[in-house]
Amino acid sequence: MKNTFILIIMLLTLTACSSEDRVNFVLKIMGKGNVKYLPPDTPLPEKPKITLNFLTNEEIADKVAENNQYIENKIIQKDSSTIYYFIKEKDKNNKTIYSLTNDKQTAQFYRVVLGKTAENYCVVQDFYINDKKKTEKHIILDTDCTKHLSTNSNVSSRKNKNFSTFIVYEPQDKISVIDNLDRKNKIRNMYFYKDGKEDIIIHYDFNSNQQLVLFFDMNRENPDIYIRKFNDKQIIYEAQFGDFYPTIKKNGDYVFDEDAYKKQKSITKVREWKDINNNGKSTYTKWYMYKDDNKMTVLQRKNEEFNDFKYKYKNFINSKKMIDRP
């Protein structure tokens, strides 16, 4: 990853040079055994057509109503009287978690147990201590109604929940995440907001085993696009359409370099995985980068970004399990 990061930074400083000069420079830095020049007629990958949009307020209200009905149909034993209070703490790995507390004065949120399912799973809804909603109703796939509590909004962390549409709210009553499962059409859409603004859309289509990710954080009119294709064992293809974000070291940390970003040209990045299995053996990656003149380099490496692959594949599998759940 370090070498890849260095390569990206180096390439972004060479936009004023000719294609041949840039490639010769890359070969000098990376070594001829790792990098080669793509033929001039190498086609760019096809950029997917974007039809995804953030939900309107009316659509959100409809999703909440559908989820409420979905949850109610799962309850066979009603409750609504059992309440648990939680306080925010740090675990041994310095990660934020919520722990049970009997002190309502120091609690950050509370959980109302709405009932139990036929499997004795807990149906719950979480609220901030000021009674504002923290989440919409959902089912914890466990008999312990206090389990699976964290501030982690990671995709894979929701594998232990069941819902139709799961919404997480910020303390200011703003939406943070909308996670919608369309089981009939085998589609999962996730909408992320940052400080109340539309930020990221993640779209899973399990009919074609593809994932589409749109990043609106840098350019809300023309989001960066990732498309990933999966088979039953691995990611086999990933393409990024948009800009790389150069960084500069400031006060010991790497931060976004806005001046360099304005000067650079659009880049498309493509990664292809071959012979990948779950125990990490026989990993192989091709990593292409295209500039606007369709000429760039390709790296071929073993064990390239394997942890990144495992994380994305795990999310894909967990999402499919959620869609397949009745």
Side-chain angles (χ1 to χ4, degrees):
M1 286 297 293
K2 183 178 179 181
N3 288 338
T4 300
F5 174 78
I6 294 172
L7 173 63
I8 293 171
I9 299 301
M10 293 296 184
L11 289 172
L12 294 175
T13 64
L14 298 172
T15 55
C17 303
S18 68
S19 297
E20 185 177 359
D21 289 339
R22 291 202 304 271
V23 172
N24 288 336
F25 183 84
V26 171
L27 292 175
K28 182 178 179 180
I29 296 297
M30 299 300 297
K32 294 183 179 181
N34 292 329
V35 184
K36 66 180 180 180
Y37 194 45
L38 289 176
D41 59 349
T42 301
L44 283 168
E46 184 177 355
K47 187 175 182 178
K49 295 180 180 179
I50 303 304
T51 58
L52 296 171
N53 295 297
F54 282 85
L55 300 176
T56 64
N57 290 336
E58 292 77 12
E59 289 171 328
I60 293 172
D62 289 342
K63 298 296 183 185
V64 170
E66 291 174 6
N67 181 68
N68 287 342
Q69 188 60 57
Y70 178 82
I71 297 299
E72 288 298 321
N73 290 341
K74 296 287 186 179
I75 297 177
I76 65 166
Q77 179 184 341
K78 293 185 179 295
D79 188 337
S80 294
S81 61
T82 302
I83 298 177
Y84 296 101
Y85 290 87
F86 299 91
I87 189 171
K88 187 185 295 185
E89 295 180 326
K90 296 288 185 179
D91 65 8
K92 61 181 180 180
N93 298 316
N94 203 37
K95 291 185 178 180
T96 301
I97 59 172
Y98 286 108
S99 302
L100 281 172
T101 179
N102 293 321
D103 187 355
K104 299 179 183 179
Q105 301 302 317
T106 60
Q108 273 82 35
F109 86 93
Y110 64 92
R111 167 166 288 175
V112 178
V113 179
L114 304 174
K116 290 292 189 73
T117 69
E119 300 85 1
N120 202 33
Y121 293 154
C122 300
V123 181
V124 303
Q125 186 169 12
D126 298 335
F127 296 85
Y128 290 103
I129 206 65
N130 62 0
D131 297 327
K132 295 284 188 179
K133 283 193 294 188
K134 187 176 187 295
T135 71
E136 291 296 339
K137 299 175 183 178
H138 59 281
I139 298 170
I140 299 174
L141 300 179
D142 198 290
T143 57
D144 183 350
C145 298
T146 68
K147 277 197 172 181
H148 317 303
L149 301 170
S150 75
T151 59
N152 185 5
S153 60
N154 187 294
V155 174
S156 61
S157 70
R158 276 192 281 284
K159 67 181 179 180
N160 293 316
K161 292 183 176 67
N162 190 13
F163 52 85
S164 174
T165 298
F166 183 65
I167 300 181
V168 181
Y169 298 91
E170 297 177 357
Q172 301 82 9
D173 212 20
K174 295 178 180 179
I175 291 177
S176 174
V177 181
I178 301 176
D179 191 349
N180 176 243
L181 304 177
D182 183 348
R183 292 182 170 89
K184 179 179 179 182
N185 296 304
K186 294 188 178 299
I187 289 173
R188 181 186 191 186
N189 285 326
M190 303 185 69
Y191 308 88
F192 294 84
Y193 300 78
K194 187 175 182 180
D195 299 325
K197 295 181 179 180
E198 298 169 345
D199 192 35
I200 301 171
I201 296 178
I202 302 178
H203 170 75
Y204 288 92
D205 185 342
F206 297 100
N207 300 290
S208 57
N209 286 339
Q210 289 192 169
Q211 181 199 57
L212 193 65
V213 186
L214 309 180
F215 291 92
F216 295 85
D217 54 342
M218 293 293 184
N219 190 330
R220 299 192 179 277
E221 296 298 324
N222 298 292
D224 282 3
I225 303 170
Y226 283 77
I227 182 169
R228 301 182 180 107
K229 299 179 181 180
F230 302 82
N231 63 16
D232 60 346
K233 295 182 180 179
Q234 61 183 344
I235 298 177
I236 56 174
Y237 175 88
E238 178 188 82
Q240 172 189 342
F241 302 85
D243 298 324
F244 284 120
Y245 301 114
T247 60
I248 187 170
K249 196 169 186 178
K250 184 179 292 185
N251 298 326
D253 295 320
Y254 286 97
V255 298
F256 174 61
D257 189 342
E258 186 174 359
D259 291 335
Y261 172 72
K262 291 178 179 178
K263 295 177 183 178
Q264 77 176 41
K265 298 179 181 180
S266 183
I267 293 177
T268 299
K269 184 171 98 172
V270 180
R271 290 187 289 182
E272 293 181 274
W273 283 267
K274 302 293 182 184
D275 304 324
I276 295 180
N277 53 41
N278 289 329
N279 60 17
K281 296 180 180 178
S282 304
T283 60
Y284 183 72
T285 303
K286 287 184 179 180
W287 188 59
Y288 304 83
M289 293 202 335
Y290 302 78
K291 291 290 280 189
D292 57 350
D293 56 6
N294 292 6
K295 299 175 183 178
M296 198 31 98
T297 57
V298 53
L299 289 83
Q300 298 182 348
R301 296 182 182 178
K302 292 184 177 181
N303 301 313
E304 176 73 12
E305 300 177 344
F306 185 67
N307 287 334
D308 182 52
F309 150 76
K310 288 195 296 185
Y311 171 77
K312 291 181 175 66
Y313 181 66
K314 180 181 179 181
N315 286 342
F316 173 75
I317 293 299
N318 288 336
S319 294
K320 192 173 189 306
K321 289 178 180 178
M322 295 173 72
I323 287 291
D324 293 338
R325 188 177 296 138

